Amino acid sequence: ESSAVGVDEINIGMAHRGRLNILANFMGKKHEQILNEFEGGEVYPTNIEGDVKYHKGFANEIETFSNGSIRVFLAPNPSHLEAVNPVLEGFARARQHLLAQGDNSKVLPVLMHGDAAVVGQGIVYETLNFAGLDSYQTGGTIHIIANNQIGFTAYPSESKSCDYASDVAKVIRAPVIHVNADDPQAVAWAAKLAIMYRKKFKNDFVIDLVGYRRHGHNETDEPGFTQPLMYKTIKAHPTVMNIYAEKLNKEGIISTEDFKARVKKFRQYLQGCLNTIREKPYQDGHRPPKAIEKSLKYALASKEQMEAKVDTCVSKEKILELSEKFLNFPAGFTPHPKIAKLYETRKAMLNDEGAIDWGLAEIIAYASSANESIDIRLSGQDSGRGTFSHRQVVLRDFETNEPLNMLSMLGEKQGKVDVINSPLSEAACLGYEFGYSVAHKEALVLWEAQFGDFANGAQIIMDQFLVASEAKWKQACSLVLLLPHGYEGQGPEHSSARPERFLQSCGNLNIQVANVTTPAQLFHLLRRQVKRFFQKPLVVMTPKSLLRHPKVISTFSEFSDQTFRSIIDDDSITDKAAVERVVICTGKIYYDLLEAREKEAASGAPIALVRVEQLYPFPLNDLTKVIDSYSASKEIVWAQEEPVNMGAWMFMRARLEDITKGLKKVSYIGRRGSGSTAEGSLKSHKIEQQRIVFDALKLSCPVSDDSE
């Protein structure tokens, strides 16, 4: 039906119940291939871990009843039921952009839900909320609730407060059709109605497919333990196939004998498939349709390729040329007076050799990339202005309230730049951008947390998709996470982006984790994301107080003559042989250490401050060279703001000990272990922060006796 009204592609997201049926009977995956997976016939390279067969995705082109064809894509998913919902929506939105520059009629998203999960999982509502938002809507999603009246072992009355599992869709006023799964023709009619509605109104539609699970929660379950009466009824109830066969028999379309013969023939066919793959190895020659291949491509990268320098430079002349476009307001636009002043300040930053701060460097990274026809999508809570008002890219006319994207005026051939204030969601928004980045691999896609601490609201998306999708499903993306991180005394929910959680998830070159300290470093890091032939997610611990720190600036030469540096040595040390202690750190604490070293009189040998800008993939060779260059040093100190059980210490300790090979002492200086990320009191924070800095620099710390 969708093919007949102009849809070229269907994107499906669903959990694992019924997935093999969808693959075999709808999507045309060969039975031999499915059985081969069950027989353990798949062998993965050592660098690909794979996944169970009922989590995998698939793409194909299938024939329709109208003598046409349509592409279908089933997204891979984890066992976290509804977590795939926003991922699929983001994927579909990107496909709509790639296929038809935003004509959402060409790609149809279909989400299949479980009845208990659709009301029990909050990410379902978060995804539904996208339906009417300009930067997220996909022209109408068809939701199919596989309503089996048993979510796991709980009664419906134990798992939902509403009458119908579909009631959650009332929030977007989507029409709902309740249809009896025992009546295939009624189900087909409901699907046709859904397509007609979507074409006309470009809105979501819900089919509540009311059925049952013949074997309970799974094939090894005993559903009679918890629902004895229902399963007595189900046991006596004929199957859908038998009910429909009887209907066709009464209508004279197929005889009982013909029906039985067809069933027998199909079982023999399946047995033949199984015998075939047991006799000789199955060779999978399937390839996805060419029109979707680009979104599914996967390029394996070696450590050497990930460490290779990438030309991300942009000349001073080009920066000045672009700045004329993104720093000057069009005729008739009235900016907020404070914004006008900020833009004048930014113009002044571009004088002489340049004194470019973090916000301007970030904008130059976007503008220069868009100028090279790269699409950019940045979303998050407050992303238009930036949580800390450092970005100010999407402006509002001070008189009319009309919006203006200052990065939309770079030139006719520029890439599309979307800077989006997202809904107040972490899980669904991050999942959406992940799916978008998977589909649109050449784009620079970024998701920004309001504070890095809030990112943990999307932990399932991080664990099940971001860090593992390449290993499980050969699903590559280059999504960038911007997570504000740094200890400024703002308390436990406004300090830490939990870098330790990302570092614990690092393995087999799956992601990149960085905590950069200069605007130019951020510039090169972002441009590197779209300059390489492979895709890897990037997690960046971005600053807060450093956004306006007088020392956090970069000159034009750092943009035009350098590339990204994973390690930054201490260029203030003139005699490395005189250094006895090397303090290694990452991120904002470097500037606290630098300020104290400059202000406080220190006796004894000079102390070097070395910055680790990229934590993973770990820059072993670069850091080893720097440490070895301090030949007389006796002690290597890792200094951090975070508690000892958090931050990067647990990740760095073994690596530093491996580099020094026991010839130098490796020490930790930072906060003691804690269940909370930071102090709740500004006074306590300042005392502890000063202690850390002074201990690292071997200074006498003027801490009061009540510091305990």
Side-chain angles (χ1 to χ4, degrees):
E1 296 296 341
S2 58
S3 175
V5 297
V7 175
D8 294 328
E9 183 174 301
I10 299 175
N11 297 162
I12 305 172
M14 65 178 293
H16 37 286
R17 295 282 180 249
R19 192 177 187 86
L20 298 176
N21 172 44
I22 295 292
L23 285 167
N25 295 324
F26 174 63
M27 301 196 66
K29 186 172 182 179
K30 290 182 184 283
H31 296 90
E32 292 94 335
Q33 186 176 348
I34 295 173
L35 291 167
N36 185 61
E37 292 168 359
F38 271 92
E39 290 288 294
E42 287 185 307
V43 179
Y44 292 95
T46 55
N47 52 357
I48 298 295
E49 286 77 17
D51 198 1
V52 293
K53 69 280 299 175
Y54 44 84
H55 286 172
K56 295 177 183 177
F58 191 71
N60 205 359
E61 189 156 355
I62 59 176
E63 294 180 4
T64 68
F65 288 119
S66 56
N67 296 320
S69 66
I70 194 165
R71 288 185 306 279
V72 288
F73 168 69
L74 175 65
N77 74 291
S79 282
H80 286 68
L81 299 175
E82 305 289 333
V84 74
N85 292 0
V87 175
L88 188 279
E89 293 289 342
F91 187 95
R93 171 81 176 216
R95 291 295 297 164
Q96 290 169 351
H97 170 69
L98 291 170
L99 286 173
Q101 289 299 303
D103 180 358
N104 51 32
S105 69
K106 298 297 182 184
V107 177
L108 166 66
V110 175
L111 290 177
M112 299 184 68
H113 312 274
D115 54 309
V118 78
V119 291
Q121 300 287 303
I123 202 167
V124 175
Y125 163 72
E126 293 183 28
T127 305
L128 285 169
N129 187 48
F130 291 147
L133 304 182
D134 288 344
S135 297
Y136 296 88
Q137 58 87 18
T138 51
T141 297
I142 294 179
H143 301 265
I144 301 171
I145 300 174
N147 191 344
N148 296 319
Q149 304 172 72
I150 174 172
F152 33 108
T153 61
Y155 279 82
S157 61
E158 294 174 309
S159 60
K160 68 178 190 293
S161 296
C162 47
D163 291 330
Y164 297 100
S166 57
D167 282 352
V168 66
K170 288 180 178 179
V171 71
I172 58 168
R173 299 180 180 86
V176 177
I177 290 289
H178 306 278
V179 59
N180 183 0
D182 268 352
D183 187 347
Q185 288 179 218
V187 174
W189 178 86
K192 182 172 183 176
L193 182 62
I195 292 297
M196 293 166 61
Y197 178 88
R198 194 243 183 194
K199 178 175 173 56
K200 183 172 180 63
F201 296 106
K202 299 184 182 300
N203 203 353
D204 288 28
F205 190 96
V206 180
I207 298 173
D208 182 17
L209 187 63
V210 183
Y212 58 92
R213 281 187 187 168
R214 182 159 290 272
H215 302 291
H217 182 52
N218 60 52
E219 287 73 15
T220 61
D221 188 29
E222 174 43 76
F225 290 159
T226 50
Q227 296 209 4
L229 294 181
M230 176 185 279
Y231 276 87
K232 285 178 184 176
T233 302
I234 290 172
K235 191 173 183 180
H237 187 70
T239 65
V240 181
M241 182 169 66
N242 283 310
I243 291 172
Y244 195 55
E246 181 61 26
K247 171 182 169 67
L248 297 180
N249 181 44
K250 288 180 178 178
E251 294 176 1
I253 296 172
I254 184 173
S255 67
T256 301
E257 292 73 22
D258 190 12
F259 162 65
K260 290 179 179 178
R262 286 170 182 248
V263 171
K264 183 178 180 181
K265 183 179 180 181
F266 187 68
R267 287 189 177 277
Q268 289 173 340
Y269 161 73
L270 288 178
Q271 186 62 49
C273 292
L274 181 60
N275 294 340
T276 298
I277 62 104
R278 284 177 172 174
E279 290 169 3
K280 60 181 180 180
Y282 176 76
Q283 299 296 323
D284 177 21
H286 176 78
R287 292 191 63 176
K290 284 188 177 180
I292 199 173
E293 240 178 344
K294 201 172 185 181
S295 289
L296 304 180
K297 74 175 183 178
Y298 166 79
L300 189 64
S302 67
K303 192 172 188 296
E304 291 72 26
Q305 289 168 326
M306 290 192 70
E307 290 177 345
K309 297 293 183 184
V310 180
D311 182 7
T312 51
C313 297
V314 173
S315 68
K316 175 182 178 180
E317 293 72 25
K318 177 57 72 173
I319 291 173
L320 293 175
E321 176 192 326
L322 292 170
S323 68
E324 282 293 313
K325 298 174 181 177
F326 67 72
L327 286 181
N328 287 300
F329 307 112
F333 182 83
T334 305
H336 189 288
K338 290 183 178 179
I339 299 295
K341 185 177 179 181
L342 170 66
Y343 272 55
E344 289 304 313
T345 301
R346 285 178 172 169
K347 290 176 183 178
M349 291 178 187
L350 300 173
N351 292 333
D352 303 321
E353 294 302 312
I356 298 168
D357 70 359
W358 191 278
L360 182 54
E362 183 188 0
I363 294 168
I364 294 171
Y366 300 148
S368 57
S369 298
N371 187 62
E372 297 168 6
S373 300
I374 293 168
D375 292 332
I376 297 169
R377 180 182 168 94
L378 165 63
S379 74
Q381 296 152 21
D382 313 317
S383 284
R385 65 165 197 170
T387 295
F388 313 102
S389 295
H390 77 286
R391 187 172 293 121
Q392 297 295 0
V393 168
V394 178
L395 311 179
R396 292 277 177 174
D397 190 291
F398 196 52
E399 302 295 337
T400 67
N401 206 44
E402 287 299 308
L404 173 66
N405 182 348
M406 296 298 287
L407 290 174
S408 65
M409 305 177 292
L410 302 174
E412 290 184 6
K413 295 184 179 179
Q414 76 163 83
K416 188 173 188 288
V417 181
D418 288 322
V419 182
I420 301 156
N421 289 332
S422 74
L424 198 66
S425 155
E426 285 80 38
C429 286
L430 179 58
Y432 190 100
E433 304 309 335
F434 172 83
Y436 195 99
S437 181
V438 166
H440 194 355
K441 289 185 165 57
E442 284 73 30
L444 178 59
V445 184
L446 311 97
W447 177 76
E448 180 178 48
Q450 194 173 50
F451 281 85
D453 313 58
F454 302 167
N456 58 16
Q459 199 66 50
I460 289 175
I461 301 297
M462 294 171 186
D463 291 344
Q464 306 304 324
F465 291 95
L466 189 77
V467 305
S469 65
E470 180 180 345
K472 293 192 292 187
W473 311 312
K474 296 184 181 180
Q475 190 175 57
C477 86
S478 56
L479 178 63
V480 180
L481 271 60
L482 302 177
L483 309 180
H485 174 83
Y487 283 56
E488 288 100 354
Q490 293 181 288
E493 271 74 60
H494 300 85
S495 297
S496 179
R498 307 306 296 252
E500 66 279 356
R501 292 182 177 173
F502 293 101
L503 294 173
Q504 186 185 41
S505 298
C506 292
N508 203 12
L509 306 177
N510 60 334
I511 60 172
Q512 307 162 95
V513 181
N515 194 353
V516 297
T517 55
T518 76
Q521 281 283 88
L522 176 72
F523 166 85
H524 291 297
L525 191 63
L526 295 179
R527 281 178 56 81
R528 189 179 73 172
Q529 276 299 93
V530 289
K531 289 285 187 179
R532 300 190 291 197
F533 72 90
F534 56 88
Q535 288 78 39
K536 294 284 180 179
L538 169 64
V539 181
V540 187
M541 306 292 144
T542 55
K544 294 173 288 181
S545 62
L546 298 189
L547 294 172
R548 294 170 180 84
H549 194 290
K551 286 188 178 294
V552 185
I553 56 174
S554 297
T555 61
F556 282 119
S557 63
E558 292 176 77
F559 293 84
S560 60
D561 301 334
Q562 293 182 0
T563 58
F564 179 73
R565 296 179 287 169
S566 58
I567 303 292
I568 299 181
D569 198 359
D570 193 335
D571 58 9
S572 71
I573 301 295
T574 56
D575 182 9
K576 287 193 169 187
V579 173
E580 294 183 359
R581 172 180 273 203
V582 178
V583 176
I584 304 175
C585 63
T586 187
K588 171 240 168 192
I589 196 173
Y590 165 76
Y591 289 98
D592 294 343
L593 293 164
L594 182 65
E595 182 181 6
R597 190 177 69 173
E598 291 175 348
K599 284 183 177 180
E600 303 294 331
S603 58
I607 293 176
L609 302 178
V610 175
R611 288 169 273 176
V612 179
E613 301 281 289
Q614 177 177 290
L615 291 156
Y616 191 82
F618 182 64
L620 176 63
N621 295 334
D622 291 346
L623 186 56
T624 300
K625 288 177 184 176
V626 170
I627 290 176
D628 287 349
S629 70
Y630 294 96
S631 56
S633 63
K634 300 174 182 177
E635 185 179 16
I636 304 297
V637 169
W638 177 260
Q640 67 177 37
E641 302 178 300
E642 303 86 354
V644 65
N645 55 316
M646 301 175 194
W649 167 239
M650 298 296 186
F651 176 83
M652 290 296 300
R653 181 176 183 175
R655 290 167 171 83
L656 291 173
E657 290 173 346
D658 185 52
I659 290 172
T660 58
K661 296 180 173 60
L663 300 176
K664 302 175 192 286
K665 181 183 178 183
V666 176
S667 305
Y668 163 83
I669 293 177
R671 283 171 169 77
R672 62 181 180 271
S674 173
S676 176
T677 54
E679 300 87 4
S681 157
L682 179 59
K683 180 181 177 182
S684 298
H685 159 78
K686 288 181 177 179
I687 293 171
E688 186 66 355
Q689 195 77 1
Q690 187 181 51
R691 178 195 66 77
I692 293 168
V693 170
F694 276 48
D695 283 356
L697 297 175
K698 285 188 168 181
L699 297 170
S700 178
C701 186
V703 178
S704 61
D705 292 336
D706 63 353
S707 63
E708 292 294 327

